[in-house]
Amino acid sequence: MSSALISSADASRIAIPAEDEDVAALRQSVVTKLTYAVGRDPIVATDWDWFMAAALAVRDHVLERWLASTRANYDSQGKRVYYLSLEFLIGRLLHDSLSNLGLVDRMRAALAELGVDYDRLRNVEHDAALGNGGLGRLAACFMESMATLQIAAHGYGIRYDHGMFRQVIKDGWQHEYPENWLTFGNPWEVTRPDATHVVGFGGTVETRAGADGTTCYVWHPAEAVDAVAYDTPVVGWRGHYANTLRLWSARAADPLRLDAFNRGDHIRALEPRDRANAISQVLYPSDETPAGQELRLRQEYFFTSASLQDLVLRHMRQHKGDIRLLPDKAAIQLNDTHPAIAVAELMRILIDLHALPWEEAWRITTDTIAYTNHTLLPEALESWPVSLMERLLPRHMQIVYQINRLHLDAVRALPQFDGAPLAALSLIDDNAGRRLRMSSLAFLGAHKVNGVSALHTELMRQTVFRELHQLYPDRIVNKTNGITLRRWLFAANPRLTGLLTEVVGERVLDDAEALAGFAKAADDTAMHDRLAHIRRDNKQALARLVAERLQITLDPDALFDAQIKRVHEYKRQLLNILETIALYNDMRARPTSNWVPRVRIFAGKAAGSYRRAKLIIKLINDVANVINNDPALGGLLKVVFIPDYNVSLAEAIIPAADVSEQISTAGMEASGTGNMKLALNGALTIGTLDGANIEIRDRVGQDNIFIFGMTADEVEERRRRGPGARETIDGLPVLQEVLDAVAYGVFSPDEPQRYRELVDELTGNDHFMVTADFAAYAAMQRRISAHWHDRRAWWRASVLNTANVGWFSSDRAIREYAADIWNVVPRIT
Ligand code: 26V
């Protein structure tokens, strides 16, 4: 590894003097922050006060590197990456920052000298939950990897006042409550009122004759909203370098209508303020429905426009006002279609504001922009009613129409064009009212379009982008997702990390592929014992958390089996809970069999309006109630649904899991990233041939992963043949018994009909193939139990999982984006 900025050896010499001195200095800076920034006397300071003081002290450490990095980027005049994402699911920052800076132990010692417990204090930090799930967490991992690899990058998004809702389980049902991460202040961000941009909405477009016979367009928006920047430094591994996450907050340009106020109409007077503020108020639970809401479109345009204005301004300042250099100096990555309006917005900036001709503007736009697709689910593909677009963004729609015209003309001019209708290729979908297909706009405006796993990319070529792919066969590329080891191994599982560095050496901390060296421990039984010990400690810690939150006792010697992710029918938590019931029935029927004690752990949120998913959560809790309280089982089987899943809870569950559930209907999970985190920590996967599971199998070896069920092709084929659930169930008495129990209210005696609709769907259409995959899943679960009895085989497989998943590091993913899409060279190679 080499670093042009500063090498590791130099950095440790410069940044880390004698240890005691450092502890004393840290302690002093925490006390100073407590006194002068928080304004509290140590005698009365609460955990929160100490947390703020510690975070501000850490931030000072980061700021120096941040300023140095910013200066280095400016001086180098190099190309920058701009990652536009409506979601950044970063979680807590204190421990992660300290861990990346190598200061955890010293901070712990400094606080201990002040009589403060670091572990208690780090738990009072609120999660920054500015995302729904995989897409948002990926953006956070990517930001960390770009800082680690010293790629000059800016993340751009929205500073939501309220992030992902808080999930409370009452009587087994999910309830959603607003989340208030900013209420007590956010120590990590720096407000930049100077970096404010005005974002327009609505109004009219004026056409003027230009000097040389051309036509100029002047947009006169009806409404103006200020986008105010809040910057958070993202510090990379070993703390040498930091990038900026810039999140926009919306403010009314004119917050008060004084005329109304003076008339005494205070409500109306504040209307502009409220309307503007609404834009950055809440994160949409985007797994919900195609957010038809105008507010969602306003959010998307708001942050896209502010970000493009910001990056163009930076470019002009840095590169002598030469906008033509933009593709050489900026790579813009669209994280899904949420910022797809960037295509039209950049065209507008280039043509209307910089007076470039269309062709040149189009070349600059497409050379600069790239787009990542994260789902093929038709209901999840964004499209906006043309009428709404024309009202809200009239100038952008003119540009979109022109893009579409030129695109369709080009198709008609192709030699192979046979006069067939071009509906499938058009940017406008005429089927369900006229709607603008955002995925097509993003595809046309990008030089590269990527999927997030090999299978997903192939399915993109065959399905959603079939026609566009035929036209542009080189545009779609694969970039399999990755995760940052710094958070998901080093910070979340320090004991395992310690063992790994002992076995393969310190270099594993800088090079994920070095994990391969751990394979030599595969058959070492002494090593197995140590791993088992570490896992047991982690399970005990999780058991304490569960006891505190749910008053349920877990046996740390039981097999912990975790399904932790958004609750969605395609992810098939239902398959898991039905098989749990089958296991329960079997345990009751054959109590003297050599059962493996098991804990089924569930955690995840359902979109507030997704009734079915919420019903599945209730079913899990109802089943848990019956099973956990059945004295006949003697605690052999436990089911827990841990509420309010978030990044911090994931960090507690993942190091404690023995089995990782990745059981989506094949062809439906674009990639998954939890699968990678769990395998990295040594959990064995039970999974379908879906998303990145396939690539995980290829790397860990098929003997070390439990793959079951239909392939994506088989799913498609079976769906074509029509419903076949009835015959399947008829051949499976075990499943029939489970479905009867659910349908007749065994788990819901207070409302026997509660799960009728779930069972009706399974016996009818069964779109997600729960019944079709049931037998294979149940058989595989039994094989896992048999495997558990063979401790040598189990830990061998576990070692080989950890050893072989280094490739799923987000550093590898980012290197691929850098080389194949952005054309930037990381400073760390
Ligand atoms: C969106 C929607 C919206 C409408 C209703 C159903 C539904 C279901 C899923 C989604 C997914 C939104 C995009 C997303 O988060 N995709 C996830 O991206 C991860 C990072 O690439 C990837 O690992 C996950 O497999 C993928 O689901």
Side-chain angles (χ1 to χ4, degrees):
M1 177 172 293
S2 72
S3 157
L5 254 195
I6 191 166
S7 81
S8 323
D10 289 346
S12 44
R13 242 175 280 131
I14 298 165
I16 306 168
E19 195 140 313
D20 299 347
E21 200 182 311
D22 237 17
V23 171
L26 257 183
R27 190 191 58 212
Q28 188 49 52
S29 63
V30 173
V31 171
T32 305
K33 290 295 178 192
L34 186 73
T35 313
Y36 296 103
V38 184
R40 272 275 194 253
D41 189 315
I43 306 292
V44 293
T46 62
D47 281 349
W48 176 261
D49 297 327
W50 283 112
F51 159 72
M52 286 295 274
L56 290 170
V58 175
R59 200 185 72 174
D60 281 358
H61 274 261
V62 177
L63 282 175
E64 290 161 16
R65 291 143 212 246
W66 193 21
L67 298 181
S69 309
T70 307
R71 204 176 314 120
N73 292 338
Y74 194 86
D75 293 345
S76 81
Q77 300 271 309
K79 190 169 181 176
R80 295 167 190 263
V81 173
Y82 294 100
Y83 199 83
L84 269 61
S85 178
L86 206 46
E87 304 190 5
F88 287 94
L89 192 42
I90 43 196
R92 289 176 177 153
L93 284 177
L94 178 62
H95 187 69
D96 212 51
S97 309
L98 283 168
S99 173
N100 273 6
L101 293 164
L103 290 176
V104 171
D105 291 340
R106 273 162 278 177
M107 179 59 90
R108 196 186 295 277
L111 289 168
E113 287 178 13
L114 294 163
V116 179
D117 177 26
Y118 172 69
D119 289 309
R120 219 181 50 223
L121 165 150
R122 63 186 264 216
N123 280 320
V124 305
E125 180 173 5
H126 291 261
D127 269 49
L130 310 183
N132 276 282
L135 170 153
R137 183 54 232 176
L138 186 77
C141 283
F142 279 6
M143 287 302 296
E144 201 268 358
S145 272
M146 290 191 282
T148 293
L149 299 179
Q150 303 194 5
I151 291 174
H154 300 248
Y156 277 123
I158 293 182
R159 179 182 178 271
Y160 302 104
D161 298 333
H162 306 283
M164 187 60 185
F165 67 80
R166 205 157 43 83
Q167 179 194 52
V168 174
I169 303 292
K170 277 191 207 150
D171 197 22
W173 292 102
Q174 168 179 300
H175 294 261
E176 304 92 38
Y177 289 91
E179 176 281 343
N180 294 310
W181 71 300
L182 291 174
T183 307
F184 298 104
N186 172 5
W188 304 111
E189 66 187 11
V190 181
T191 321
R192 305 277 191 214
D194 52 314
T196 295
H197 300 281
V198 183
V199 178
F201 292 98
T204 55
V205 180
E206 181 194 344
T207 311
R208 286 188 198 152
D212 41 5
T214 54
T215 311
C216 301
Y217 300 88
V218 185
W219 178 26
H220 301 287
E223 187 190 348
V225 176
D226 281 354
V228 183
Y230 287 74
D231 287 352
T232 300
V234 179
V235 62
W237 179 234
R238 298 204 185 272
H240 298 162
Y241 184 89
N243 275 322
T244 303
L245 174 60
R246 175 160 283 187
L247 301 178
W248 302 107
S249 185
R251 306 262 187 286
D254 297 306
L256 196 61
R257 282 181 48 188
L258 269 181
D259 52 340
F261 191 84
N262 293 337
R263 276 200 317 273
D265 189 348
H266 300 149
I267 304 272
R268 177 146 317 147
L270 291 172
E271 241 171 34
R273 187 197 65 176
D274 295 342
R275 196 173 149 71
N277 287 355
I279 292 178
S280 55
Q281 221 133 56
V282 268
L283 168 80
Y284 265 93
S286 76
D287 285 12
E288 199 158 337
T289 41
Q293 297 84 339
E294 183 172 332
L295 183 56
R296 170 79 174 197
L297 180 58
R298 284 165 64 86
Q299 287 187 332
E300 295 186 352
Y301 178 65
F302 166 76
F303 101 95
T304 303
S305 173
S307 307
L308 289 186
Q309 291 183 52
D310 200 53
L311 72 89
V312 166
L313 182 66
R314 182 177 303 110
H315 174 88
M316 297 299 275
R317 280 185 186 152
Q318 202 174 349
H319 302 289
K320 305 195 182 75
D322 189 350
I323 192 69
R324 290 178 174 82
L325 287 178
L326 192 68
D328 299 331
K329 299 295 176 189
I332 298 174
Q333 191 67 34
L334 308 182
N335 198 25
D336 218 292
T337 55
H338 314 145
I341 193 64
V343 174
E345 173 72 350
L346 187 52
M347 286 296 283
R348 182 185 75 84
I349 292 173
L350 296 174
I351 295 172
D352 297 0
L353 307 183
H354 291 267
L356 291 189
W358 179 278
E359 292 71 22
E360 192 170 16
W362 186 243
R363 187 188 55 74
I364 292 174
T365 297
T366 53
D367 283 354
T368 307
I369 289 179
Y371 151 58
T372 308
N373 172 280
H374 293 271
T375 182
L376 299 173
L377 301 186
E379 68 272 33
L381 292 176
E382 276 192 306
S383 70
W384 294 106
V386 163
S387 53
L388 171 61
M389 292 288 301
E390 284 178 340
R391 178 160 56 78
L392 218 57
L393 302 170
R395 176 64 186 132
H396 297 77
M397 268 321 279
Q398 290 179 339
I399 292 170
V400 165
Y401 287 133
Q402 179 67 0
I403 294 172
N404 202 30
R405 221 170 356 251
L406 294 170
H407 157 60
L408 295 178
D409 285 350
V411 176
R412 283 190 205 94
L414 288 173
Q416 67 267 35
F417 178 66
D418 57 5
L422 295 176
L425 275 167
S426 174
L427 288 182
I428 310 293
D429 182 355
D430 275 319
N431 287 325
R434 283 164 59 73
R435 302 179 75 94
L436 174 58
R437 294 176 167 132
M438 300 311 275
S439 55
S440 305
L441 179 62
F443 187 106
L444 287 181
H447 62 284
K448 283 283 181 284
V449 176
N450 77 284
V452 291
S453 75
L455 174 68
H456 168 238
T457 302
E458 194 43 45
L459 292 173
M460 280 168 68
R461 295 187 179 118
Q462 290 169 18
T463 62
V464 179
F465 296 107
R466 198 161 69 94
E467 291 80 10
L468 287 169
H469 170 60
Q470 278 165 9
L471 268 183
Y472 301 97
D474 299 330
R475 192 162 298 183
I476 298 182
V477 295
N478 178 238
K479 293 284 157 269
T480 298
N481 283 165
I483 56 172
T484 168
L485 270 63
R486 270 77 64 182
R487 184 177 284 262
W488 297 109
L489 181 63
F490 311 163
N493 202 344
R495 294 181 186 94
L496 179 57
T497 305
L499 184 66
L500 290 167
T501 44
E502 189 188 313
V503 176
V504 285
E506 292 274 327
R507 73 198 175 92
V508 74
L509 299 176
D510 296 286
D511 176 9
E513 297 282 358
L515 279 170
F518 193 47
K520 66 175 176 245
D523 293 302
D524 178 344
T525 48
M527 195 59 68
H528 294 173
D529 290 344
R530 294 181 66 189
L531 282 170
H533 192 77
I534 290 168
R535 176 75 52 78
R536 194 175 190 285
D537 280 351
N538 293 339
K539 285 160 83 169
Q540 237 160 359
L542 179 62
R544 276 195 297 276
L545 182 152
V546 168
E548 249 168 53
R549 295 193 192 171
L550 299 173
Q551 289 75 49
I552 295 176
T553 311
L554 300 183
D555 170 10
D557 293 316
L559 184 162
F560 280 23
D561 168 324
Q563 186 168 18
I564 49 174
K565 50 184 80 245
R566 285 301 288 249
V567 180
H568 202 289
E569 286 169 282
Y570 86 78
K571 296 180 187 277
R572 299 200 295 190
Q573 281 88 357
L574 190 52
L575 176 60
N576 184 343
I577 197 67
L578 293 180
E579 202 280 327
T580 306
I581 298 171
L583 177 63
Y584 169 61
N585 290 344
D586 204 5
M587 282 177 164
R588 282 176 55 100
R590 301 186 296 123
T592 57
S593 185
N594 187 19
W595 296 109
V596 171
R598 271 178 174 263
V599 181
R600 293 278 171 108
I601 297 164
F602 294 86
K605 294 175 182 176
S609 63
Y610 193 171
R611 227 176 31 82
R612 270 270 160 91
K614 292 170 91 170
L615 191 58
I616 292 170
I617 292 178
K618 172 66 173 162
L619 175 62
I620 295 170
N621 282 302
D622 276 352
V623 171
N625 239 327
V626 170
I627 294 182
N628 297 345
N629 296 309
D630 186 339
L633 282 191
L636 207 51
L637 180 61
K638 288 272 169 84
V639 179
V640 286
F641 186 98
I642 311 179
D644 204 29
Y645 184 55
N646 59 10
V647 171
S648 297
L649 186 55
E651 288 165 357
I653 297 174
I654 289 169
D658 299 302
V659 166
S660 156
E661 299 269 352
Q662 308 301 336
I663 60 177
S664 51
T665 316
M668 303 196 76
E669 187 71 272
S671 162
T673 44
N675 47 3
M676 303 167 187
K677 294 163 196 167
L678 283 150
L680 175 67
N681 281 276
L684 306 191
T685 303
I686 178 167
T688 46
L689 286 175
D690 199 14
N693 295 353
I694 298 174
E695 290 154 85
I696 293 177
R697 178 204 58 180
D698 292 346
R699 290 193 155 73
V700 306
Q702 55 183 355
D703 296 341
N704 303 309
I705 186 166
F706 299 92
I707 296 289
F708 72 94
M710 286 189 283
T711 62
D713 286 344
E714 288 163 357
V715 168
E716 202 204 300
E717 163 65 17
R718 195 176 157 114
R719 280 193 186 138
R720 250 205 313 267
R721 284 208 315 268
R726 197 59 269 167
E727 296 87 275
T728 308
I729 299 165
D730 288 344
L732 284 173
V734 168
L735 176 58
Q736 182 67 65
E737 189 189 345
V738 169
L739 292 178
D740 285 347
V742 173
Y744 296 119
V746 169
F747 302 100
S748 54
D750 53 324
E751 189 190 346
Q753 294 295 311
R754 182 176 296 145
Y755 300 113
R756 190 80 252 176
E757 69 157 284
L758 284 184
V759 176
D760 284 349
E761 163 63 19
L762 294 181
T763 51
N765 216 359
D766 193 14
H767 182 68
F768 299 98
M769 306 282 148
V770 171
T771 61
D773 272 342
F774 182 86
Y777 177 63
M780 201 50 88
Q781 282 287 12
R782 302 309 160 96
R783 259 188 60 193
I784 287 178
S785 293
H787 209 71
W788 180 259
H789 286 302
D790 183 351
R791 304 305 291 157
R792 227 188 138 124
W794 186 276
W795 286 108
R796 177 174 205 279
S798 176
V799 167
L800 291 175
N801 268 264
T802 302
N804 288 309
V805 295
W807 187 81
F808 296 97
S809 160
S810 42
D811 296 352
R812 185 272 314 156
I814 286 298
R815 282 200 181 92
E816 289 186 11
Y817 277 84
D820 305 337
I821 299 181
W822 302 331
N823 192 24
V824 300
V825 180
R827 285 204 191 89
I828 299 289
T829 47

